[in-house]
Amino acid sequence: VQLQASGGGLVQTGDSLRLSCAASGGGSFSYYALGWFRQAPHKEREFVAAITRIPISSFYGDSVKGRFAISRDDAMNTVNLQMNSLKPEDTAVYYCAAVFGGLTSAGASRADTWHYWGQGTQVTVSS
């Protein structure tokens, strides 16, 4: 499956931003679990959020809980990340990811769980 992330940009502290990731190929989109990671300069890739296939569960990294929300639209083959109350420490390149089949909360946060990655979209939050 090929993933294309979009929606990044430059915003101010407290603003909102919505990222989208469009998938193509790979068969039925609904069978994939989907996620978002981010990587800031000189830092390791960090888990942000993930959403399973039906029945849907969602998981979040501690630093974004209560501010970010992940959703999926299987009819449109997209996964979205609504980011609210943005902070300068949210500045990073955001990557969408996919894996075929089930997903556990423990596995979601591990980068090696995910088999497919998008190219990344830059989010910059100014103070």
Side-chain angles (χ1 to χ4, degrees), residues 91-114:
T91 295
V93 177
Y94 283 70
Y95 299 90
C96 56
V99 61
F100 186 87
L103 182 71
T104 65
S105 59
S109 61
R110 293 177 49 176
D112 61 4
T113 292
W114 302 89

Side-chain angles (χ1 to χ4, degrees), residues 20-123:
S20 292
C21 179
S24 60
S28 178
F29 182 77
S30 63
Y31 285 106
Y32 287 84
L34 306 159
W36 290 93
F37 283 73
R38 67 186 183 187
Q39 189 164 18
H42 313 298
K43 292 189 176 181
E44 293 186 356
R45 191 164 293 195
E46 178 190 12
F47 170 69
V48 176
I51 188 165
T52 66
R53 60 183 184 178
I54 292 175
I56 288 176
S57 294
S58 54
F59 313 115
Y60 294 92
D62 288 341
S63 61
V64 306
K65 282 181 182 176
R67 299 189 297 124
F68 290 11
I70 189 170
S71 62
R72 63 187 298 160
D73 185 338
D74 289 346
M76 297 297 292
N77 287 7
T78 58
V79 57
N80 302 303
L81 185 68
Q82 178 66 41
M83 305 186 295
N84 300 323
S85 303
L86 283 162
K87 306 174 182 180
E89 50 264 44
D90 294 318
T91 295
V93 177
Y94 283 70
Y95 299 90
C96 56
V99 61
F100 186 87
L103 182 71
T104 65
S105 59
S109 61
R110 293 177 49 176
D112 61 4
T113 292
W114 302 89
H115 295 170
Y116 305 97
W117 293 87
Q119 87 291 358
T121 185
Q122 175 71 45
V123 172

